[in-house]
Amino acid sequence: MLDVVDITDPADPRLDDFRDLNSVDRRPDLPSGKGLVIAEGVLVVQRMLASRFVPRALLGTDRRLTELGTDLDGLAAPFYRATAEVMAEAIGFHLNRGVLASASRAPELTVAEVLDGARTVAVLEGVNDHENLGSVFRNAAGLGVDAVIFGSGCADPLYRRAVRVSMGHALLVPFARAANWPADLNILRDNDFRLLAMTPDPTVPTLADAVSGLTEERIAILVGAEGPGLKEHTMRSADVRVRIPMARGTDSLNVATAAALAFYERDRSHR
Amino acid sequence: MLDVVDITDPADPRLDDFRDLNSVDRRPDLPSGKGLVIAEGVLVVQRMLASRFVPRALLGTDRRLTELGTDLDGLAAPFYRATAEVMAEAIGFHLNRGVLASASRAPELTVAEVLDGARTVAVLEGVNDHENLGSVFRNAAGLGVDAVIFGSGCADPLYRRAVRVSMGHALLVPFARAANWPADLNILRDNDFRLLAMTPDPTVPTLADAVSGLTEERIAILVGAEGPGLKEHTMRSADVRVRIPMARGTDSLNVATAAALAFYERDRSHR
């Protein structure tokens, strides 16, 4: 039986998971894994409910409670029902999306765990922007990538902004952080993954040519930060370097867009 | 001879093109075409210098003046040189990029003008987010799209944020606004363009199948806003509906990402 609790006082300590969300968002403990994971909006809350992140509490308007409906069946956490005004005062700004859920961080998965059963994985290095990271997860989910692996220098995929931009897919697409970088790329190699490193170098094979020859193989697509790209040492650990054909006079694409093109090409060669 | 003018007083009226930039950015006259176009950073200023938008003035630090170097040869507008502190006080915030250029809006091009010589164009409807619009221009430039046409409901491509996200390509890739929408799609048809409408409908041909059959044709890729997509009336005006194959359980991609995949597929089928 869903536990709906009406809250009329914005200072009610039961709302503390959601208090001053903009400053929580900047809390230094978040990236280190001590903070909470926050889902915003009906769609992202639904994805959290379907994920390995178990909600501690929900806070929302009556309208969003109704919209979530049977999705909340079996929910053990309380649903704190409040007006938009009470919510705004507690969280520190007006939230159009009207509903939030908090969860503790689930235990981190290992690289070996996320490779299990995967055919295509994305490997990121130096992607330190939460919005780009969120976009990579959204693109991975939409274009059939099974897991994401973080090398060095990446932002926190469970940061509120990353989760929001990912449309909740940061909670669903399995990810792991490489404990040793780039040495852990050997775990992929030991699991018969072919490592493709994306580069703007115009002398290497195109994505299309490289991927079409690997239809039956497990592949890992390595993407570096916009600007510097993959580090030379990482590049040397890859099996093949690949490029997106670019018009003359242009610079590289946004990192999440470049990744999307690689995911698309891989997915395309499977069909 | 480059006219370098040292400015030490942030209140100097010669800096008025750049004053309180964040509020200029919100000025209602900008989208209507009366405002200025602002380029930020060395790369985007370089692209403005190469574009049809003629600078009225530049404002930057000595370091950025040096970086621009011979790019400024022949510049008729003055370069106002100031410290980062004076700049910050005039424009209202600290600008990491260190240099700005202002230009009046060039006369708008017509749909017929931007189609001249084009083989691939993007047609947008309801793309009312400046960041997405900027990304579409960046992707268009990188992936070989010759022009962008705006149907109804699109944001202003010359808004400061759009220009910045486009990496200056909003100043270089020709664009036009359809005066009559969607009736002006007939101008494309009269110019032998095949109109491809993007939709998440899983029953229509994939992008790859549709585009590979049109290698020799001029094509226009119609993209609607994330969420609602193209309006039904617009959809009916197209020659063929196409989709990006998506993994089950996911929603549509970000509009600029979906456009990038279409541009990539078109470019791919040309090679």
Side-chain angles (χ1 to χ4, degrees):
Chain A
M1 185 63 194
L2 182 63
D3 182 21
V4 178
V5 181
D6 284 301
I7 305 267
T8 54
D9 177 7
D12 192 312
R14 288 174 292 186
L15 302 191
D16 281 357
D17 273 8
F18 309 105
R19 192 168 307 288
D20 299 331
L21 215 48
N22 272 336
S23 79
V24 165
D25 212 24
R26 288 192 294 268
R27 256 170 34 185
D29 56 352
L30 248 184
S32 70
K34 283 176 256 163
L36 299 173
V37 182
I38 303 284
E40 299 169 69
V42 167
L43 181 67
V44 180
V45 168
Q46 286 167 331
R47 292 201 167 129
M48 178 183 274
L49 291 166
S51 81
R52 63 199 173 90
F53 298 87
V54 181
R56 293 157 48 106
L58 280 75
L59 167 63
T61 60
D62 189 61
R63 182 176 147 203
R64 302 307 180 186
L65 173 61
T66 304
E67 281 177 37
L68 282 163
T70 55
D71 290 328
L72 300 176
D73 287 355
L75 179 72
F79 189 105
Y80 298 124
R81 179 167 54 187
T83 62
E85 292 70 32
V86 169
M87 281 183 69
E89 202 157 328
I91 69 184
F93 57 93
H94 177 75
L95 186 86
N96 271 326
R97 297 179 182 81
V99 64
L100 294 161
S102 66
S104 297
R105 291 186 174 228
E108 298 246 322
L109 304 171
T110 65
V111 172
E113 281 170 339
V114 303
L115 295 184
D116 189 31
R119 286 189 40 79
T120 309
V121 301
V123 181
L124 309 181
E125 180 185 68
V127 180
N128 60 5
D129 173 275
H130 291 107
E131 201 162 327
N132 283 336
L133 210 56
S135 297
V136 168
F137 272 94
R138 184 179 182 185
N139 297 340
L143 298 167
V145 170
D146 303 305
V148 177
I149 293 167
F150 297 110
S152 62
C154 291
D156 174 22
L158 299 179
Y159 193 81
R160 185 162 66 90
R161 185 179 175 82
V163 171
R164 184 178 65 229
V165 173
S166 81
M167 307 291 276
H169 290 297
L171 306 177
L172 288 170
V173 176
F175 66 84
R177 295 175 217 262
N180 300 294
W181 181 256
D184 278 1
L185 287 172
N186 287 326
I187 305 175
L188 281 88
R189 217 186 303 274
D190 292 344
N191 282 279
D192 299 323
F193 275 83
R194 298 275 288 170
L195 311 187
L196 277 64
M198 308 258 301
T199 167
D201 181 348
T203 67
V204 307
T206 63
L207 199 52
D209 286 344
V211 167
S212 63
L214 299 170
T215 314
E216 302 305 317
E217 318 251 358
R218 306 178 93 178
I219 75 167
I221 297 160
L222 278 61
V223 188
E226 200 175 317
L230 290 165
K231 288 183 184 156
E232 188 48 38
H233 187 65
T234 309
M235 202 74 94
R236 278 201 305 273
S237 308
D239 298 304
V240 54
R241 301 180 188 204
V242 300
R243 69 182 165 93
I244 295 164
M246 297 288 293
R248 275 177 308 166
T250 57
D251 26 31
S252 63
L253 295 164
N254 163 280
V255 60
T257 306
L261 296 178
F263 302 165
Y264 171 80
E265 184 65 60
R266 166 63 163 179
D267 196 48
R268 189 184 190 286
S269 77
H270 267 207
R271 286 168 194 275
Chain B
M1 187 65 195
L2 183 63
D3 180 21
V4 177
V5 182
D6 283 303
I7 305 267
T8 54
D9 177 8
D12 192 311
R14 288 173 292 185
L15 302 191
D16 282 356
D17 273 8
F18 309 106
R19 192 166 308 288
D20 298 331
L21 214 49
N22 271 337
S23 77
V24 164
D25 212 24
R26 286 193 296 268
R27 255 171 34 187
D29 57 351
L30 249 183
S32 72
K34 281 174 260 168
L36 298 174
V37 181
I38 304 284
E40 298 168 71
V42 168
L43 181 67
V44 179
V45 168
Q46 285 166 332
R47 293 203 166 128
M48 178 184 273
L49 292 166
S51 79
R52 62 197 174 92
F53 297 89
V54 181
R56 294 158 47 105
L58 279 75
L59 167 62
T61 59
D62 188 62
R63 182 174 149 205
R64 301 308 180 187
L65 172 61
T66 305
E67 281 177 36
L68 282 163
T70 56
D71 291 328
L72 300 177
D73 287 356
L75 179 72
F79 188 105
Y80 298 124
R81 179 167 53 187
T83 63
E85 292 69 31
V86 168
M87 281 184 67
E89 203 159 325
I91 69 182
F93 57 92
H94 177 76
L95 186 85
N96 270 327
R97 296 179 184 81
V99 63
L100 294 161
S102 66
S104 298
R105 290 184 176 230
E108 298 246 322
L109 304 171
T110 65
V111 171
E113 281 169 341
V114 302
L115 294 185
D116 189 30
R119 286 190 41 80
T120 309
V121 302
V123 182
L124 309 182
E125 180 185 69
V127 179
N128 59 5
D129 175 273
H130 292 107
E131 202 162 327
N132 283 336
L133 210 56
S135 297
V136 168
F137 272 94
R138 183 178 183 187
N139 297 340
L143 299 166
V145 169
D146 303 303
V148 177
I149 293 166
F150 297 111
S152 62
C154 290
D156 174 22
L158 299 179
Y159 194 81
R160 185 163 65 91
R161 185 181 176 81
V163 172
R164 185 177 65 230
V165 173
S166 81
M167 308 290 275
H169 290 296
L171 307 177
L172 288 170
V173 176
F175 66 84
R177 296 174 218 260
N180 299 293
W181 182 257
D184 279 0
L185 287 172
N186 287 327
I187 305 176
L188 282 88
R189 217 186 303 274
D190 292 347
N191 282 279
D192 298 325
F193 276 84
R194 297 275 288 171
L195 311 187
L196 277 63
M198 307 258 302
T199 166
D201 181 348
T203 66
V204 306
T206 63
L207 200 51
D209 287 343
V211 167
S212 62
L214 298 170
T215 313
E216 301 307 317
E217 319 250 358
R218 306 179 92 178
I219 75 166
I221 297 160
L222 279 61
V223 188
E226 200 175 316
L230 291 165
K231 288 184 186 158
E232 188 50 36
H233 187 65
T234 310
M235 201 74 94
R236 278 201 306 272
S237 308
D239 296 306
V240 54
R241 302 181 188 204
V242 300
R243 70 182 164 91
I244 295 163
M246 298 287 293
R248 274 178 307 165
T250 57
D251 26 32
S252 62
L253 296 164
N254 164 279
V255 60
T257 306
L261 297 178
F263 302 163
Y264 171 80
E265 183 66 59
R266 165 63 162 180
D267 197 47
R268 188 184 191 285
S269 76
H270 267 207
R271 285 165 194 278

